Amino acid sequence: MTDALHLKIEPLTHEAFAPFGDVIEASDAVKHFPINAGNTERYHDLANLDAGEDGRVIVSIFRGLPRALPFIVPMMERHPKGSQAFVPLSGRPYLVVVARPGEPPTAGHLRCFLATAAQGVNYAKGVWHHPLMALDEVSDFLVIDRSGPGNNCDEIELAPVAIIPAL
């Protein structure tokens, strides 16, 4: 695969991920305040969930098999009718590969982020992303996305492909 593009793995930050959606985490970088007589800290309004005009928000659990690195990124998908949020439940880091919404991306448009076990992501409507990328072990994710009429998943194959190096 001499023409494959090797992706750089970046740390997941609010600023770096902003063109693609939201980082979901309890940190000083987000609005937070005490509730319940000071017994609970509320990290407030962390993601712009979007079910679209004719959809409704649903909650699911996805159980992802681990991906071995290096990993060839052969395809990308997007959800044109609504956002899709992933919150890790298994206490393990995972990878996020994204490209901006719009025309189908090439390997040169992709960005790869390493999310910590304490960070979720919300892909904005139409953002290209690779399906769930658990690392090391089978991992569960709470997923908040759209249910409703119409096709809400477009897939494309990448040519050339991208490669995610070993950590």
Side-chain angles (χ1 to χ4, degrees), residues 40-131:
T40 303
E41 189 74 9
R42 178 178 178 145
Y43 293 84
H44 185 72
D45 196 15
L46 300 177
N48 182 21
L49 302 175
D50 182 356
E53 193 174 301
D54 57 353
R56 68 181 185 88
V57 174
I58 61 170
V59 175
S60 306
I61 292 179
F62 288 15
R63 181 162 290 153
L65 298 176
R67 308 288 182 145
L69 299 179
F71 178 79
I72 295 173
V73 180
M75 58 81 69
M76 296 290 282
E77 68 179 31
R78 70 175 174 186
H79 304 287
K81 292 184 170 271
S83 63
Q84 189 177 46
F86 288 80
V87 179
L89 298 176
S90 298
R92 285 187 277 287
Y94 60 102
L95 291 174
V96 175
V97 177
V98 290
R100 291 179 187 260
E103 293 299 313
T106 66
H109 295 118
L110 306 185
R111 291 187 62 189
C112 180
F113 296 98
L114 177 61
T116 71
Q119 293 177 306
V121 295
N122 181 50
Y123 300 121
K125 180 176 16 181
V127 165
W128 292 97
H129 60 279
H130 189 275

Side-chain angles (χ1 to χ4, degrees), residues 146-165:
R146 175 192 184 277
S147 179
N151 177 37
N152 191 33
C153 187
D154 298 329
E155 295 182 357
I156 56 122
E157 291 185 24
L158 294 173
V161 297
I163 298 176
I164 301 170

Side-chain angles (χ1 to χ4, degrees), residues 25-28 30-44 46:
E25 68 179 333
S27 76
D28 288 339
V30 299
K31 182 178 179 180
H32 61 100
F33 47 88
I35 61 171
N36 299 344
N39 290 312
T40 303
E41 189 74 9
R42 178 178 178 145
Y43 293 84
H44 185 72
L46 300 177

